[in-house]
Amino acid sequence: MLDFLAANPDQSGKREIARAFGLKGADRAWLKDLLGEMTDSGQIEKRGKRVVQPGGLPHVVELDIFSRDRDGLLLARPSEWPDDGGAPPLVQVRTKRGKPSPGIGNRVLARVFPAKGGKGPAYTAQVLKKIDRTRDTVLGVIRKAGDEFRLEPVTRGEPQLNIAADALGDAKAGDLVEAEPDRSSRRYGPPRGRVSAVIGSMASEKAISMIAIHAHGIPNVFPDAVIKEAEAAKPAKMSGREDWRKVPLITIDPADAKDHDDAVYATPDADEKNPGGFIVDVAIADVATYVTGGSAMDREALKRGNSVYFPDRVVPMLPERISNDLCSLREKEDRPALAVRMVFDASGKKLRHSFHRIMMRSAARLAYTEAQAAIDGTPNDKTGPLLETVLRPLWDAYAALKKGRGKRQPLELDLPERKILLKDDGTVDKVIVPERLDAHKLIEEFMIQANVAAAETLEARRKALVYRVHDAPSLAKQEALRDFLRTVGISLARGAQMKPAQFNNILSQVRGTDHEELVNEVVLRSQSQAVYTPENLGHFGLNLRRYAHFTSPIRRYADLLVHRALIGALGFGPEGLTKDEEARLEETAALISTSERRAMAAERETVDRLVARHLADRIGADFAARISGVTKSGLFVQLPHFGADGFIPVSTLGDDYYVYEEAAHALVGQRSGKGYRLADRVDVRLKEVTPLAGSMLFEMLTEPGPMPQGTRSFHKSKRRTGARSGRASTGRGRRR
C-alpha cells in the first residue's frame, strides 16, 4: 500500500486504490478498515478524500529553487512547510530542452513525483510556471548622505547601498526606486549600487501601498492591449437572456463601494406546499460576457488573480471600464447577470434552485447602514418606498435562512475586523471596528447559499470546477489545541475528527471570561488555510460538503471560472470553459491561491507601514497593547487602536530566564513561574520605529503574571544558575 501511494500520489482516493488493487464488495470494507488502522498508526495521513504518507508533498506545489547538485540539476524545497513538519523534503527540478528554465532564487509552481530509489532527493518536479523572477534588485528609498546618496531598503535585513550621483539616473532624494547591487565594487566597505528603475516619490499620498505593490510583484498597470480591449467592449444585448428588468433586485454594499457585483430580492413562496417558505433571487454581474477565455483581459486577470485592497487604493483585477461600468450593477441601468433562484422552506432548508442568464435593472443602490436603518424604523426617502415590498421580505427570508445556519453550525469565531481611515494627505486618521449589522449577515448568508448552489449544479452536470475548500484541522493541530485547552481548565476528549460544533462549544464556554480572546485566537490558529482546488475537500469552517466561489467575478478570478463552467454546463452561450481551461484547472487553482496569499501579505504589510510612519515621532510614548504572538525570541504585540504589530525581544523582558511554552502559547519565567501569554493585555513603550519596513520595537511595562498550573517547563531543582537574564532556553530541558 505504501509503495502504491508513493508511486501514485494523484490516485490516492479510496475509490482509486480499490480499483488499482481490484477490490470489490466486502473487500472495500476491509480496505476502509486497513486505511483507518494505517492512519491511526501514523503510517499515512488523510487529506480530504485522499491519503498520503506523512510529511509528503501535494501533487502540485510551490517550490523555491536554492541550489544545484553535482550534475548541475536544480534543487528546491517547498515554499511553505509547517514548523512542526520536520525538515522540508528536497526536490530535484527537471527542465525540458528548448524551453526557458528557471534559475536559483526563482519560485515556481511545479508538479512533483516521488523519486525512484532511496538515494538523492525525495521528489522530482516538472515546472508548470515561474511565479516570480530572480530578485536581483533591492527596493528602497533614496536618502542624501553627504556628497553621495544611500538606498534605505524597505525590507528589514536587506543591505543599504551607497549610490553615487552618476548612478542615480532620474532618481532624487525621497524617491522609491529599484537598485542593482554593483557586484564588481570593492569587497570591503559599504556595498554600492545603481538605480535601475524609479517607481515614484515617497511624498505622494499612495506611496506606502506602492511599496507593497512592488515588493510583492503585484501587477498594477494594465497593458495597452488590455485597455484597448476593455474600451472596445460594447453593452450586452438581450439575445439569449431572460428579461428580469421588472424584478426589483437591489444592491446592498459599503457606502464607498465603486463596483456592485451582486443584487438580491426575496418574496414569500406562494406554493401552498411550502408554507412559510421563501424564494430568494441572487443576481451576479455577468463578467464572462466581456472577459472571454484567452483574451488579453483574461490573461491579465489570471495574472492578477484577484483585486487587492489597500487603505489608500484598490489594485483591480479588471480595468475600470469593465469593473466600474459595464459589469457594475448600477441603479436604474440595464446590466447582464447570471442569477440563481433558490426556494427555501420555513426552516431555512433549500428545496431546489435554478440558474438563469438574465438582463436586470437594479431598483436601488443601498448602503448597509441605510438598509439597516430602514428595518430598524428610520427609513429615508430612498428606502421608505422599498420597505414593505423589498426590504422586509429580504429580512424575513434571512430569518428563515438563519434557522438553517443554526442547524448547520458553521464555525463562529468572534474576531472583529479593523478598518484604517486616512486623511487627505494619505496619513492615518483613525482605526475603527465597523459595526456588524444584520444587513451584512443577510448578504453574507445569501451569497453562501448561491455559492453552494453553483457547486451543486456543476457536480450534478459532472463538470469540472474550482472549489473553495477549507480542510479540517490536522490531527497534530487538534492535539496541540487539547494541550492548550488543558492550561485554561477545559478538557477535550480524544477521538475522531472534530466538527465545527465542537469548536463552537469550546468558544461558548469561554464567552465573557478572561480567556475569551485567547481561546478565539488559538482556535483560529488551529484551522487550516482555505485554498482553491479542483478536488472537493469540503469547507470545514462553513460546515459545507461542497462550496465554490461564484458571487464576486469582478474581483476574483475563481468566480469567473465558475461562471464560465456554469455557462458551458447549462448551454447559456459560447463563453463556457474550454477543454484547455479544464485541463489546466489544477495549475490555475494553485496560481490564484498564491495570488490570494500575496494580496493578504501586501495588505497586512501596508497597514504596518502606515501605522509605523504615523507613530515615528512618538518614540518613548506608552500604549495599551495585546500580545498577538509568542515565540522563543520574544513577543509580538498589537496596538488595538491602530491594528498593527510590533515586537518585544525576550532579552529585554527582565531579570528572569524566560522559557517558551508552546502548548500554553506563553513565555514563562524559570525562577518566578510568572510570564506572558497570547492575548494578554499589556502596557508597552515604543522604543524604535523603522517606517519603511513597517517594524516597531517595544519595551514591556507590565509585570509578568501568574501562569496556569502545568505551564512551567522546569522543576525548581533543574534551574540553570548564572543564566543570562531574559534569554529563552534552547537546550534539551526546554520541555518536560
Side-chain angles (χ1 to χ4, degrees), residues 83-84 480 484 522 525 627-636 647 650 653 657-670 674-678 707 710-714 726-736:
D83 294 336
D84 56 356
F484 158 73
V522 176
R525 294 178 186 212
I627 296 177
S628 59
V630 182
T631 69
K632 286 183 287 188
S633 55
L635 302 170
F636 288 94
F647 188 66
V650 69
L653 284 180
Y657 190 93
Y658 283 89
V659 179
Y660 175 51
E661 280 283 2
E662 186 175 9
H665 297 269
L667 283 177
V668 184
Q670 181 184 338
K674 296 180 178 181
Y676 302 94
R677 302 187 78 189
L678 183 71
M707 292 288 102
T711 59
R712 294 187 61 180
S713 293
F714 290 86
R727 290 298 176 93
S729 166
T730 56
R732 287 185 189 172
R734 189 163 62 89
R735 298 186 185 89
R736 280 183 185 169

Side-chain angles (χ1 to χ4, degrees), residues 461-478:
R461 299 281 175 142
R462 299 185 180 278
K463 293 294 182 181
L465 74 148
V466 169
Y467 293 92
R468 177 65 167 179
V469 306
H470 178 223
D471 209 352
S474 67
L475 294 178
K477 286 186 176 181
Q478 288 185 52

Side-chain angles (χ1 to χ4, degrees), residues 408-428:
R408 194 175 80 237
Q409 284 265 345
L411 185 59
E412 301 283 5
L413 284 166
D414 183 16
L415 297 166
E417 293 187 12
R418 291 174 174 81
K419 182 176 181 180
I420 287 190
L421 301 181
L422 303 180
K423 300 175 185 175
D424 292 339
D425 63 359
T427 58
V428 175

